[in-house]
Amino acid sequence: MANNRAPRIAIAGGGLMGRLLAWRLVRRGLDISLFEAGDLSSPSGACWTAAGMISPLSELVHSQRQIYDLGVQSLALWVEWAGELEALSGRSVAFRSAGSLLVAHGRDRTELQQFQRELQAKLGDSADEHLRQLDRTGLRQLEPALENFEQGLFLSREGDIDNRRLLPVLLDVLREQDVQFHQRTPVVCRDHAIEHRGGQQLFDCVIDCRGLGAARDIDGLRGVRGEVLVVETDEVPLQRPVRLLHPRYQLYAVPRGDNRTVIGATEIESEDRSPISVRSTMELCSALYSLHPAFAEARIVETRVNCRPATMDNLPYVYSEPGLVRVNGLYRHGYLLAPALALKVEKQIMEQFLQVA
């Protein structure tokens, strides 16, 4: 720290990654400025649309081992960080570590078997420590509402967090810790500098977390469209995230407060942010009805559409040079990867400026 002055850090992008990094770095005594192209109180990025699942095992089957390893680290960090944020704010972020459940209809039971085989192939002998096969009795003990299924898989080391509670809590904590907000301020990120319509501001380091806003600066960064429904009913009281395996799609249902459930499955190679399509709505509703017939009378209270920033290999992008760090490409793994990547950047910044490991 030169001349007893706290290093000045600019963070571009007020989504999940930007807020986590601002919180982690301001608590270390750094002078943080957070720039957001939109309104911090009304996020428009994928972080606000997402279901908030933290599912390293579920994602391992379709992702590289790196995603799983980072996800396991993030799940442990969420346990700690959620508690810290709740203590600071006096409000719940609704973090839950109740595991997740995979089910399939009888005609699709091979989907469960295939999932188990692929998990065992990637984890080896340790796979049995992470999952438990359930018969009808075991399934009903965990999720009494799912009485029309004969078998399932329970993944105990998974969790989820309510993004609609977490993000406002993070914002309030940053406000209390005197982070400087620059809202409705699109920026260009350079080493040691932020450029915007008001001119240029110099910083000791710039951290670029703009998601698709950084597409011009990261080769191959693309948007992957996702569509979500939020339904409301008191007739299907789920206790944890449930995934329905099917040859064509994998529906997820994540229970929230107020008898609401977040429903999703779509993944479309498009940067179109227009409203949800009729086809997607029909497929999601059909799969939801097959999960439990009582969902037929649920009310669709919200639809969400957004684009996830993804690299060509769907792996996270972390780049650094003197005065500039870029973190991007979290794809559909935002809440699964963000804490681990934020901690990595935090350590790098502290080693650079304060010689603290």
Side-chain angles (χ1 to χ4, degrees):
M1 189 181 299
N3 301 320
N4 295 318
R5 177 181 65 80
R8 298 181 65 239
I9 309 296
I11 299 175
L16 175 63
M17 179 61 70
R19 295 183 196 210
L20 283 177
L21 276 170
W23 171 53
R24 300 302 299 175
L25 293 175
V26 75
R27 64 191 288 278
R28 293 279 212 151
L30 277 64
D31 182 351
I32 305 299
S33 294
L34 180 62
F35 292 82
E36 167 57 38
D39 191 327
L40 288 166
S41 298
S42 303
S44 60
C47 63
W48 192 246
T49 306
M53 290 185 292
I54 309 162
S55 307
L57 289 162
S58 298
E59 293 297 332
L60 176 59
V61 169
H62 306 288
S63 306
Q64 298 187 37
R65 179 62 185 251
Q66 178 184 347
I67 300 298
Y68 170 77
D69 292 337
L70 290 169
V72 169
Q73 182 184 4
S74 286
L75 183 58
L77 288 170
W78 276 124
V79 174
E80 175 186 347
W81 292 6
E84 290 183 30
L85 288 168
E86 290 178 344
L88 286 169
S89 66
R91 295 155 56 195
S92 172
V93 298
F95 170 74
R96 175 171 48 195
S97 56
S100 65
L101 194 62
L102 279 68
V103 295
H105 291 290
R107 63 183 179 276
D108 301 324
R109 61 181 179 275
T110 56
E111 297 294 318
L112 284 174
Q113 297 166 357
Q114 180 66 20
F115 180 94
Q116 188 169 357
R117 284 194 296 268
E118 292 183 5
L119 201 60
Q120 289 170 335
K122 291 193 174 184
L123 289 179
D125 295 338
S126 65
D128 292 337
E129 302 174 10
H130 301 280
L131 62 85
R132 176 158 56 97
Q133 298 184 56
L134 301 174
D135 58 14
R136 183 181 180 88
T137 300
L139 192 56
R140 293 193 66 179
Q141 287 175 346
L142 278 179
E143 290 291 349
L146 300 181
E147 56 187 17
N148 57 330
F149 291 91
E150 299 292 335
Q151 57 188 340
L153 292 173
F154 177 52
L155 308 180
S156 60
R157 299 181 184 178
E158 297 201 329
D160 64 288
I161 194 165
D162 190 337
N163 54 325
R164 296 292 176 98
R165 295 191 184 188
L166 170 68
L167 294 170
V169 165
L170 274 168
L171 187 62
D172 288 346
V173 168
L174 296 179
R175 187 176 288 112
E176 289 294 322
Q177 295 179 336
D178 295 328
V179 169
Q180 300 173 53
F181 295 154
H182 302 267
Q183 303 186 72
R184 296 173 288 282
T185 308
V187 300
V188 174
C189 297
R190 309 292 188 201
D191 58 289
H192 298 290
I194 286 284
E195 298 175 2
H196 50 75
R197 59 179 175 268
Q200 183 184 81
Q201 291 179 248
L202 300 180
F203 294 88
D204 294 295
C205 187
V206 173
I207 305 176
D208 184 359
C209 308
R210 290 176 295 157
L212 288 175
R216 292 184 178 180
D217 299 308
I218 301 175
D219 290 341
L221 190 69
R222 74 194 199 284
V224 180
R225 177 181 168 99
E227 301 163 319
V228 169
L229 302 177
V230 181
V231 301
E232 183 178 310
T233 179
D234 61 1
E235 296 188 53
V236 192
L238 299 176
Q239 308 300 314
R240 57 185 52 78
V242 174
R243 294 177 187 255
L244 174 64
L245 302 188
H246 183 274
R248 287 181 54 212
Y249 46 75
Q250 292 191 22
L251 177 96
Y252 61 75
V254 183
R256 293 293 179 223
D258 301 323
N259 297 319
R260 295 190 174 191
T261 305
V262 180
I263 309 298
T266 63
E267 186 171 313
I268 303 168
E269 287 289 340
S270 169
E271 296 187 2
D272 175 23
R273 288 186 173 91
S274 63
I276 190 169
S277 68
V278 171
R279 172 183 292 180
S280 294
T281 303
M282 292 176 64
E283 289 185 351
L284 286 171
C285 289
S286 176
L288 183 60
Y289 176 76
S290 74
L291 183 65
H292 197 294
F295 275 122
E297 294 302 319
R299 297 298 184 255
I300 299 175
V301 296
E302 183 183 355
T303 62
R304 306 175 186 171
V305 174
N306 221 309
C307 290
R308 314 169 181 103
T311 60
M312 297 308 295
D313 59 6
N314 294 333
L315 291 176
Y317 176 87
V318 181
Y319 165 86
S320 63
E321 63 180 68
L324 177 64
V325 177
R326 299 191 195 274
V327 187
N328 213 313
L330 273 65
Y331 184 38
R332 67 184 185 203
H333 308 127
Y335 288 86
L336 178 65
L337 302 183
L341 296 178
L343 183 62
K344 177 179 180 179
V345 174
E346 176 189 350
K347 289 181 177 179
Q348 178 181 330
I349 295 294
M350 297 310 295
E351 289 170 358
Q352 178 179 354
F353 290 108
L354 300 180
Q355 291 77 50
V356 177

